[in-house]
Amino acid sequence: MKRRISARKTAYALALAGISAALALLFVWLGVVVRYVTVAMFAAAGVAVMVPVTKHYYASAVLAYIVSAGLGFLVGDVTAVVGYAVYFGPMALISAVMWEKNVRWFISYPVKIVFINAALAALYYGLQGLEILAPDLVAVFDYWAIAILGTIALLLIDLLMNYVYRTLRRVLGKVLRDNHTSEVTAEEIAREDEENKSPFDEFDD
């Protein structure tokens, strides 16, 4: 019975990863093609990779991000896609996992601010991705001003993404059912959860 649960759980997790990766890749492609909405599309791609996290399939979410970012480089050059690969994808996962784990704001926000500034520095100095994401900002301001304005703007975008995630979580909770649990008892499910506490356990078997 346990092997049957694990097989269905793995298939379900992989299916969610595939759907999330496909949606994220679509949004990344739209962000590359329609440059005026690049930030919005990359944020939407980040929301797409959050989908498996709503079911606590953390490894599936990471897999969806890796696949969508990797294939994203095939639909656009490195400079065009790097904003999603370096910031929006990882930040979406960080925010969703922190929300699921009930991380307090005085811990989560310092972590987010550090990550935002590390990503901004990488995009500005190393990868030149900010020239795609915010060309007007780069043309007018020095980096210190970009860091301040960028941190504020990205924190606001993160708040919006968190709101979308919470809404998405409620909707998916009603729409997506864990079919791999439909033929087992609550005691069997609880026992399996107790034996598999790692957040990356959906691919173990």
Short mmCIF file of all heavy atoms in Angstrom, two decimals, residues 9 12-13 16-17 20 49-61 96 99-101 165 168-181 193 198-199 201-202:
data_model
loop_
_atom_site.label_atom_id
_atom_site.label_comp_id
_atom_site.label_asym_id
_atom_site.label_seq_id
_atom_site.Cartn_x
_atom_site.Cartn_y
_atom_site.Cartn_z
N LYS A 9 1.95 9.52 -5.63
CA LYS A 9 2.44 10.81 -5.16
C LYS A 9 3.51 11.36 -6.09
O LYS A 9 3.52 12.55 -6.43
CB LYS A 9 3.00 10.66 -3.75
CG LYS A 9 3.35 11.96 -3.06
CD LYS A 9 3.78 11.67 -1.64
CE LYS A 9 4.09 12.96 -0.90
NZ LYS A 9 4.51 12.69 0.50
N TYR A 12 1.88 12.48 -9.36
CA TYR A 12 1.15 13.73 -9.14
C TYR A 12 2.11 14.91 -9.05
O TYR A 12 1.88 15.97 -9.63
CB TYR A 12 0.34 13.59 -7.85
CG TYR A 12 -0.65 14.70 -7.57
CD1 TYR A 12 -1.81 14.82 -8.32
CD2 TYR A 12 -0.42 15.61 -6.54
CE1 TYR A 12 -2.73 15.83 -8.05
CE2 TYR A 12 -1.33 16.61 -6.27
CZ TYR A 12 -2.49 16.72 -7.04
OH TYR A 12 -3.38 17.72 -6.77
N ALA A 13 3.22 14.71 -8.32
CA ALA A 13 4.21 15.77 -8.17
C ALA A 13 4.85 16.12 -9.50
O ALA A 13 5.06 17.30 -9.82
CB ALA A 13 5.29 15.34 -7.16
N LEU A 16 2.39 18.16 -11.66
CA LEU A 16 2.35 19.56 -11.24
C LEU A 16 3.61 20.30 -11.68
O LEU A 16 3.54 21.45 -12.11
CB LEU A 16 2.20 19.67 -9.72
CG LEU A 16 0.81 19.47 -9.14
CD1 LEU A 16 0.84 19.67 -7.63
CD2 LEU A 16 -0.20 20.41 -9.77
N ALA A 17 4.76 19.63 -11.59
CA ALA A 17 6.01 20.26 -12.02
C ALA A 17 5.96 20.56 -13.51
O ALA A 17 6.39 21.63 -13.96
CB ALA A 17 7.20 19.35 -11.70
N SER A 20 3.53 23.51 -14.18
CA SER A 20 4.12 24.76 -13.71
C SER A 20 5.24 25.22 -14.63
O SER A 20 5.35 26.41 -14.96
CB SER A 20 4.67 24.59 -12.29
OG SER A 20 3.63 24.32 -11.39
N VAL A 49 5.59 28.86 -10.95
CA VAL A 49 6.40 27.85 -10.27
C VAL A 49 6.03 27.70 -8.80
O VAL A 49 6.51 26.78 -8.14
CB VAL A 49 7.91 28.14 -10.42
CG1 VAL A 49 8.34 28.14 -11.87
CG2 VAL A 49 8.31 29.44 -9.74
N MET A 50 5.18 28.59 -8.31
CA MET A 50 4.68 28.45 -6.94
C MET A 50 3.62 27.35 -6.81
O MET A 50 3.35 26.88 -5.70
CB MET A 50 4.05 29.77 -6.46
CG MET A 50 5.02 30.89 -6.16
SD MET A 50 4.06 32.39 -5.75
CE MET A 50 5.31 33.40 -4.94
N VAL A 51 3.02 26.96 -7.92
CA VAL A 51 1.87 26.05 -7.87
C VAL A 51 2.17 24.77 -7.09
O VAL A 51 1.38 24.39 -6.20
CB VAL A 51 1.37 25.72 -9.30
CG1 VAL A 51 0.33 24.61 -9.26
CG2 VAL A 51 0.78 26.98 -9.95
N PRO A 52 3.28 24.05 -7.34
CA PRO A 52 3.52 22.83 -6.55
C PRO A 52 3.69 23.09 -5.06
O PRO A 52 3.43 22.21 -4.24
CB PRO A 52 4.82 22.27 -7.16
CG PRO A 52 4.87 22.84 -8.54
CD PRO A 52 4.29 24.21 -8.40
N VAL A 53 4.14 24.30 -4.70
CA VAL A 53 4.33 24.61 -3.28
C VAL A 53 2.99 24.61 -2.55
O VAL A 53 2.92 24.31 -1.36
CB VAL A 53 5.04 25.98 -3.10
CG1 VAL A 53 5.27 26.28 -1.63
CG2 VAL A 53 6.38 25.98 -3.84
N THR A 54 1.89 24.93 -3.26
CA THR A 54 0.57 24.92 -2.63
C THR A 54 0.21 23.53 -2.11
O THR A 54 -0.60 23.39 -1.21
CB THR A 54 -0.52 25.38 -3.61
OG1 THR A 54 -0.63 24.47 -4.70
CG2 THR A 54 -0.21 26.78 -4.15
N LYS A 55 0.83 22.49 -2.70
CA LYS A 55 0.61 21.12 -2.25
C LYS A 55 1.80 20.59 -1.44
O LYS A 55 1.91 19.39 -1.20
CB LYS A 55 0.37 20.21 -3.47
CG LYS A 55 -0.92 20.49 -4.21
CD LYS A 55 -2.12 20.21 -3.34
CE LYS A 55 -3.42 20.36 -4.09
NZ LYS A 55 -4.58 20.07 -3.24
N HIS A 56 2.72 21.49 -1.07
CA HIS A 56 3.91 21.14 -0.32
C HIS A 56 4.86 20.25 -1.12
O HIS A 56 5.64 19.48 -0.53
CB HIS A 56 3.57 20.48 1.01
CG HIS A 56 2.79 21.37 1.92
ND1 HIS A 56 2.22 20.94 3.09
CD2 HIS A 56 2.46 22.70 1.83
CE1 HIS A 56 1.59 21.95 3.69
NE2 HIS A 56 1.73 23.03 2.93
N TYR A 57 4.82 20.36 -2.43
CA TYR A 57 5.75 19.64 -3.29
C TYR A 57 6.91 20.58 -3.65
O TYR A 57 6.98 21.13 -4.74
CB TYR A 57 5.05 19.14 -4.56
CG TYR A 57 4.04 18.04 -4.31
CD1 TYR A 57 3.00 17.81 -5.20
CD2 TYR A 57 4.14 17.21 -3.20
CE1 TYR A 57 2.07 16.80 -4.98
CE2 TYR A 57 3.23 16.21 -2.96
CZ TYR A 57 2.19 16.00 -3.85
OH TYR A 57 1.29 15.00 -3.64
N TYR A 58 7.81 20.74 -2.72
CA TYR A 58 8.87 21.72 -2.86
C TYR A 58 9.86 21.33 -3.95
O TYR A 58 10.34 22.19 -4.71
CB TYR A 58 9.58 21.92 -1.52
CG TYR A 58 8.65 22.34 -0.42
CD1 TYR A 58 8.28 21.45 0.59
CD2 TYR A 58 8.11 23.62 -0.38
CE1 TYR A 58 7.41 21.83 1.60
CE2 TYR A 58 7.24 24.02 0.61
CZ TYR A 58 6.90 23.11 1.60
OH TYR A 58 6.02 23.49 2.59
N ALA A 59 10.20 20.07 -4.03
CA ALA A 59 11.13 19.62 -5.07
C ALA A 59 10.51 19.80 -6.45
O ALA A 59 11.21 20.12 -7.41
CB ALA A 59 11.51 18.15 -4.85
N SER A 60 9.21 19.60 -6.56
CA SER A 60 8.53 19.82 -7.84
C SER A 60 8.62 21.28 -8.26
O SER A 60 8.82 21.59 -9.44
CB SER A 60 7.06 19.41 -7.74
OG SER A 60 6.93 18.04 -7.48
N ALA A 61 8.49 22.18 -7.31
CA ALA A 61 8.58 23.61 -7.61
C ALA A 61 9.99 23.97 -8.07
O ALA A 61 10.16 24.73 -9.04
CB ALA A 61 8.21 24.42 -6.37
N ALA A 96 7.12 31.76 -1.28
CA ALA A 96 6.09 30.74 -1.07
C ALA A 96 6.46 29.78 0.05
O ALA A 96 5.62 29.46 0.91
CB ALA A 96 5.85 29.97 -2.37
N TRP A 99 6.17 31.46 3.39
CA TRP A 99 4.78 31.60 3.80
C TRP A 99 4.24 30.27 4.31
O TRP A 99 3.54 30.23 5.34
CB TRP A 99 3.93 32.10 2.63
CG TRP A 99 2.57 32.54 3.05
CD1 TRP A 99 2.19 33.77 3.48
CD2 TRP A 99 1.38 31.73 3.10
NE1 TRP A 99 0.85 33.79 3.80
CE2 TRP A 99 0.33 32.54 3.57
CE3 TRP A 99 1.10 30.40 2.79
CZ2 TRP A 99 -0.96 32.07 3.73
CZ3 TRP A 99 -0.19 29.92 2.96
CH2 TRP A 99 -1.20 30.75 3.42
N GLU A 100 4.57 29.19 3.62
CA GLU A 100 4.09 27.86 4.04
C GLU A 100 4.68 27.47 5.40
O GLU A 100 4.03 26.78 6.18
CB GLU A 100 4.45 26.81 2.99
CG GLU A 100 3.67 26.92 1.69
CD GLU A 100 2.20 26.59 1.86
OE1 GLU A 100 1.83 25.93 2.85
OE2 GLU A 100 1.40 27.00 1.00
N LYS A 101 5.91 27.89 5.65
CA LYS A 101 6.58 27.54 6.91
C LYS A 101 6.30 28.55 8.02
O LYS A 101 6.86 28.42 9.11
CB LYS A 101 8.09 27.43 6.68
CG LYS A 101 8.49 26.33 5.71
CD LYS A 101 8.05 24.97 6.20
CE LYS A 101 8.49 23.87 5.25
NZ LYS A 101 8.06 22.53 5.72
N TYR A 165 -0.42 34.38 -4.55
CA TYR A 165 -0.15 33.01 -4.11
C TYR A 165 -1.21 32.53 -3.11
O TYR A 165 -1.70 31.40 -3.23
CB TYR A 165 1.24 32.92 -3.47
CG TYR A 165 1.51 31.57 -2.86
CD1 TYR A 165 1.80 30.47 -3.66
CD2 TYR A 165 1.45 31.38 -1.48
CE1 TYR A 165 2.02 29.22 -3.12
CE2 TYR A 165 1.69 30.13 -0.92
CZ TYR A 165 1.97 29.06 -1.75
OH TYR A 165 2.18 27.81 -1.20
N LEU A 168 -4.31 31.90 -5.04
CA LEU A 168 -4.11 30.69 -5.85
C LEU A 168 -4.18 29.44 -4.99
O LEU A 168 -4.76 28.43 -5.39
CB LEU A 168 -2.75 30.78 -6.55
CG LEU A 168 -2.38 29.67 -7.54
CD1 LEU A 168 -3.28 29.73 -8.76
CD2 LEU A 168 -0.92 29.80 -7.94
N ARG A 169 -3.63 29.53 -3.79
CA ARG A 169 -3.63 28.37 -2.90
C ARG A 169 -5.05 27.98 -2.51
O ARG A 169 -5.39 26.78 -2.45
CB ARG A 169 -2.81 28.72 -1.65
CG ARG A 169 -2.51 27.55 -0.74
CD ARG A 169 -1.63 28.02 0.41
NE ARG A 169 -1.18 26.92 1.23
CZ ARG A 169 -1.85 26.42 2.25
NH1 ARG A 169 -3.05 26.92 2.54
NH2 ARG A 169 -1.36 25.42 2.96
N ARG A 170 -5.89 28.98 -2.22
CA ARG A 170 -7.29 28.68 -1.87
C ARG A 170 -8.03 28.06 -3.05
O ARG A 170 -8.79 27.10 -2.89
CB ARG A 170 -7.99 29.95 -1.42
CG ARG A 170 -7.56 30.45 -0.04
CD ARG A 170 -8.55 31.46 0.50
NE ARG A 170 -8.63 32.65 -0.36
CZ ARG A 170 -7.86 33.71 -0.21
NH1 ARG A 170 -6.95 33.76 0.76
NH2 ARG A 170 -7.99 34.76 -1.01
N VAL A 171 -7.82 28.62 -4.25
CA VAL A 171 -8.51 28.11 -5.44
C VAL A 171 -8.05 26.71 -5.77
O VAL A 171 -8.87 25.80 -6.00
CB VAL A 171 -8.27 29.06 -6.63
CG1 VAL A 171 -8.82 28.44 -7.92
CG2 VAL A 171 -8.90 30.42 -6.38
N LEU A 172 -6.73 26.49 -5.77
CA LEU A 172 -6.21 25.16 -6.11
C LEU A 172 -6.58 24.12 -5.06
O LEU A 172 -6.70 22.94 -5.37
CB LEU A 172 -4.69 25.22 -6.28
CG LEU A 172 -4.18 26.02 -7.47
CD1 LEU A 172 -2.66 25.99 -7.53
CD2 LEU A 172 -4.76 25.48 -8.78
N GLY A 173 -6.75 24.57 -3.82
CA GLY A 173 -7.18 23.64 -2.78
C GLY A 173 -8.55 23.06 -3.05
O GLY A 173 -8.86 21.94 -2.64
N LYS A 174 -9.38 23.81 -3.78
CA LYS A 174 -10.71 23.33 -4.13
C LYS A 174 -10.72 22.57 -5.46
O LYS A 174 -11.52 21.66 -5.66
CB LYS A 174 -11.68 24.51 -4.24
CG LYS A 174 -11.85 25.28 -2.94
CD LYS A 174 -12.74 26.49 -3.13
CE LYS A 174 -12.88 27.30 -1.85
NZ LYS A 174 -13.71 28.52 -2.05
N VAL A 175 -9.81 22.97 -6.36
CA VAL A 175 -9.82 22.40 -7.72
C VAL A 175 -8.95 21.16 -7.81
O VAL A 175 -9.37 20.14 -8.37
CB VAL A 175 -9.34 23.45 -8.75
CG1 VAL A 175 -9.21 22.82 -10.14
CG2 VAL A 175 -10.28 24.63 -8.77
N LEU A 176 -7.73 21.22 -7.27
CA LEU A 176 -6.80 20.10 -7.37
C LEU A 176 -6.92 19.22 -6.14
O LEU A 176 -6.70 19.67 -5.03
CB LEU A 176 -5.36 20.61 -7.50
CG LEU A 176 -5.02 21.41 -8.76
CD1 LEU A 176 -3.56 21.83 -8.72
CD2 LEU A 176 -5.30 20.59 -10.01
N ARG A 177 -7.28 17.98 -6.37
CA ARG A 177 -7.37 17.02 -5.29
C ARG A 177 -6.21 16.06 -5.37
O ARG A 177 -5.76 15.68 -6.45
CB ARG A 177 -8.69 16.23 -5.38
CG ARG A 177 -9.92 17.11 -5.27
CD ARG A 177 -10.02 17.76 -3.92
NE ARG A 177 -11.22 18.59 -3.80
CZ ARG A 177 -11.53 19.28 -2.73
NH1 ARG A 177 -10.73 19.26 -1.68
NH2 ARG A 177 -12.62 20.02 -2.71
N ASP A 178 -5.73 15.62 -4.21
CA ASP A 178 -4.65 14.64 -4.18
C ASP A 178 -5.22 13.26 -4.47
O ASP A 178 -5.57 12.50 -3.57
CB ASP A 178 -3.96 14.64 -2.82
CG ASP A 178 -3.22 15.95 -2.58
OD1 ASP A 178 -3.04 16.70 -3.54
OD2 ASP A 178 -2.83 16.17 -1.42
N ASN A 179 -5.30 12.92 -5.75
CA ASN A 179 -5.91 11.65 -6.15
C ASN A 179 -5.17 10.44 -5.62
O ASN A 179 -5.72 9.36 -5.50
CB ASN A 179 -5.99 11.57 -7.68
CG ASN A 179 -6.96 12.58 -8.25
OD1 ASN A 179 -7.95 12.91 -7.61
ND2 ASN A 179 -6.68 13.09 -9.44
N HIS A 180 -3.86 10.62 -5.32
CA HIS A 180 -3.10 9.47 -4.83
C HIS A 180 -3.51 9.08 -3.41
O HIS A 180 -3.09 8.05 -2.91
CB HIS A 180 -1.60 9.78 -4.86
CG HIS A 180 -1.22 10.97 -4.04
ND1 HIS A 180 -1.29 12.25 -4.52
CD2 HIS A 180 -0.80 11.08 -2.74
CE1 HIS A 180 -0.89 13.10 -3.59
NE2 HIS A 180 -0.61 12.42 -2.50
N THR A 181 -4.35 9.88 -2.76
CA THR A 181 -4.79 9.55 -1.40
C THR A 181 -6.23 9.06 -1.37
O THR A 181 -6.76 8.77 -0.31
CB THR A 181 -4.68 10.78 -0.48
OG1 THR A 181 -5.58 11.79 -0.94
CG2 THR A 181 -3.26 11.32 -0.46
N ASP A 193 3.16 10.28 6.23
CA ASP A 193 3.65 11.64 6.44
C ASP A 193 4.63 11.69 7.60
O ASP A 193 5.60 12.44 7.58
CB ASP A 193 2.49 12.60 6.70
CG ASP A 193 1.67 12.84 5.45
OD1 ASP A 193 2.20 12.58 4.34
OD2 ASP A 193 0.51 13.28 5.57
N SER A 198 10.83 15.01 5.30
CA SER A 198 11.63 15.93 4.49
C SER A 198 10.75 16.66 3.49
O SER A 198 9.88 16.06 2.86
CB SER A 198 12.71 15.16 3.71
OG SER A 198 13.34 16.01 2.77
N PRO A 199 10.94 17.97 3.30
CA PRO A 199 10.14 18.72 2.32
C PRO A 199 10.45 18.33 0.89
O PRO A 199 9.75 18.72 -0.02
CB PRO A 199 10.51 20.18 2.60
CG PRO A 199 11.86 20.09 3.23
CD PRO A 199 11.86 18.84 4.04
N ASP A 201 10.61 15.10 -0.21
CA ASP A 201 10.44 13.66 -0.20
C ASP A 201 9.60 13.12 -1.34
O ASP A 201 9.47 11.92 -1.47
CB ASP A 201 9.81 13.22 1.14
CG ASP A 201 8.39 13.75 1.31
OD1 ASP A 201 7.97 14.62 0.51
OD2 ASP A 201 7.70 13.29 2.23
N GLU A 202 9.04 13.97 -2.20
CA GLU A 202 8.10 13.43 -3.17
C GLU A 202 8.75 12.62 -4.27
O GLU A 202 8.11 11.90 -5.01
CB GLU A 202 7.24 14.54 -3.80
CG GLU A 202 8.02 15.56 -4.61
CD GLU A 202 8.24 16.81 -3.79
OE1 GLU A 202 8.38 16.68 -2.56
OE2 GLU A 202 8.28 17.89 -4.36
#
